[in-house]
Structures are given as structure tokens and as C-alpha cells.
């Protein structure tokens, strides 16, 4: 019979305590996993600030969703997956937000092309269908 690794025994006890609402278990989770979570997050987001935010998010997700942990794999594997997913989500949201950002250089170049005058056009919304009308036609 193979011996169960000591870390798995510690993690199983940690999971049991978190499920029971033991607040010291949350501090232990933080002490045991924060550094590893941040290190993994840094592979993807590249800034310590973002890695710290991801670590916070992951630790909260683990605590809030501990009942979803089935124990089929090691706790560390589950945390790794949550970390990866959280980092990828942050990158996707940052990428989509960057499509809407306009740099100051772009604005300055646009104004200079017009001889220093800013012309603002009011968008024409008259050709857009009314939402209520669209719902009745579906």
C-alpha cells in the first residue's frame, strides 16, 4: 500500500477546516499558497501589482468555493487551475479594454491634422432600430 504524501494529508485537513468555517484555516491557506499563486500569476501578467490582485482573487475563490473541491486531485492542482483561469480572464478583459483606449498621442495627432481645431460630430442615432420594435419582431 502506497503512503499518502504528507502535503496531501495537510491539505485534506485544511480543506476540512475551511469547510467547517475555521477562519484560521484561511490564514493557513494564505501562508501556504500565496507565494506560489503570485509566482504563477507573474508568468502571465508580468507586473507584481497584477499578480498580487490575482492572488487575492484566487484565495477568495478558493475559500468561497471550497465545497466545489471534490478531492479527485491535489488541492494545489485545483488552486493552480483557478490561478491560471483568473490570470487568463484578467488578460482577456485587459485586452478588450485596450481596444477602446485612445492614447494622448492619437488625440494630439488628430487635433494637429485639423490645424489645432477640435471638431466634434454628434452621432446620428436616427437609423438605429428601437429595441422595443426589435423585440416584437423576433
Amino acid at each position: 500500500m502506497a503512503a499518502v504524501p504528507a502535503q496531501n494529508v495537510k491539505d485534506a485537513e485544511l480543506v476540512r477546516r475551511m469547510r467547517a468555517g475555521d477562519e484560521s484555516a484561511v490564514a493557513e491557506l494564505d501562508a501556504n499558497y500565496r507565494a506560489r499563486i503570485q509566482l504563477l500569476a507573474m508568468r502571465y501578467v508580468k507586473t507584481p501589482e497584477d499578480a498580487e490582485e490575482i492572488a487575492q482573487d484566487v484565495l477568495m475563490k478558493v475559500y468561497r468555493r471550497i465545497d466545489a473541491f471534490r478531492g479527485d486531485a491535489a488541492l494545489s492542482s485545483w488552486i493552480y487551475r483557478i490561478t491560471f483561469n483568473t490570470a487568463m480572464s484578467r488578460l482577456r478583459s485587459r485586452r478588450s479594454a485596450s481596444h477602446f483606449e485612445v492614447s494622448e498621442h492619437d488625440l494630439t495627432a488628430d487635433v494637429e491634422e485639423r490645424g489645432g481645431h477640435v471638431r466634434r460630430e454628434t452621432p446620428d442615432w436616427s437609423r438605429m432600430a428601437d429595441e422595443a420594435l426589435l423585440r416584437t419582431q423576433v
Side-chain angles (χ1 to χ4, degrees):
M1 179 183 261
V4 177
Q7 186 61 40
N8 289 352
V9 172
K10 287 180 185 177
D11 283 347
E13 179 61 18
L14 182 61
V15 168
R16 186 197 63 74
R17 289 175 39 221
M18 281 193 294
R19 286 180 174 158
D22 182 351
E23 290 186 22
S24 68
V26 177
E28 189 175 327
L29 173 74
D30 183 53
N32 292 347
Y33 285 99
R34 178 181 292 274
R36 287 189 268 180
I37 293 168
Q38 283 183 272
L39 191 60
L40 176 60
M42 278 294 292
R43 291 182 187 173
Y44 304 108
V45 294
K46 308 293 187 222
T47 67
E49 296 81 14
D50 285 343
E52 172 62 29
E53 286 181 25
I54 288 171
Q56 284 290 109
D57 290 348
V58 168
L59 290 166
M60 286 302 295
K61 286 176 183 178
V62 169
Y63 176 69
R64 287 183 180 153
R65 298 178 184 166
I66 195 63
D67 288 332
F69 176 64
R70 295 187 315 247
D72 297 345
L75 178 63
S76 60
S77 297
W78 190 59
I79 292 172
Y80 175 93
R81 193 70 206 166
I82 293 171
T83 304
F84 176 81
N85 290 342
T86 303
M88 292 301 107
S89 178
R90 178 165 299 235
L91 289 174
R92 277 190 302 273
S93 65
R94 180 163 290 147
R95 193 175 310 128
S96 67
S98 69
H99 289 296
F100 298 107
E101 292 177 4
V102 177
S103 73
E104 189 167 333
H105 175 267
D106 292 338
L107 290 174
T108 305
D110 193 35
V111 170
E112 288 172 359
E113 285 177 13
R114 294 189 186 131
H117 300 288
V118 177
R119 189 179 87 229
R120 297 181 193 252
E121 295 182 20
T122 306
D124 181 10
W125 296 79
S126 64
R127 293 190 180 133
M128 294 185 69
D130 185 33
E131 286 183 37
L133 180 62
L134 286 175
R135 277 184 257 149
T136 58
Q137 293 177 350
V138 175

